[in-house]
Amino acid sequence: PAGYVYVDGQTVGGATDASLKDRRTLAEEGLVTIVAIIDADSGALAEPLDFLTRGLVSSDTMFADVVPHVEKALAKAAADGIGDQHQLEQIIHRTVSRWVSKTYRRNPVVMVIVIDA
């Protein structure tokens, strides 16, 4: 809500504009954490994506439609020789963020964890 200031209780006066913006986004839009276990040799998913949400009403199938988009983006990255963990995290982040924004008209904080299998 407008007019509220969020503090962490440990340090008063140390909150920056960036941290306040992050806290507002978390409060208003929610958080999506994605765990992706990727086969280091093929660049494909070794296990199904795991979606963890906070602050969003979600179901077991809420993110089912984005999985093919992520698989396609990972296949393109593998074809382009992209296998760096950080780059793969960015690709998944961008793919899921755009899809959530388009599908649900929400802009949650998206965190991606890539694990090499």
Side-chain angles (χ1 to χ4, degrees):
Y4 287 87
V5 176
Y6 304 94
V7 296
D8 62 14
Q10 298 295 320
T11 55
V12 177
T16 64
D17 286 338
S19 66
L20 290 175
K21 181 181 181 237
D22 288 345
R23 292 175 189 189
R24 275 189 222 103
T25 301
L26 285 168
E28 295 169 5
E29 300 290 340
L31 168 72
V32 177
T33 303
I34 305 154
V35 179
I37 301 174
I38 298 178
D39 184 309
D41 296 327
S42 69
L45 293 172
E47 298 283 333
L49 292 172
D50 194 9
F51 293 90
L52 309 163
T53 63
R54 294 292 179 263
L56 293 170
V57 176
S58 65
S59 67
D60 292 340
T61 60
M62 179 178 182
F63 293 98
D65 291 342
V66 77
V67 173
H69 297 282
V70 172
E71 290 172 336
K72 182 179 177 182
L74 290 174
K76 183 180 182 327
D80 293 343
I82 298 171
D84 176 68
Q85 180 178 351
H86 180 70
Q87 289 176 307
L88 295 175
E89 288 172 351
Q90 289 179 324
I91 289 166
I92 295 169
H93 178 277
R94 195 169 33 250
T95 303
V96 173
S97 293
R98 287 178 181 161
W99 182 84
V100 169
S101 178
K102 182 179 175 185
T103 305
Y104 294 108
R105 308 250 191 273
R106 300 281 302 261
N107 294 301
V109 173
V110 176
M111 293 177 42
V112 181
I113 301 165
V114 168
I115 301 169
D116 288 333

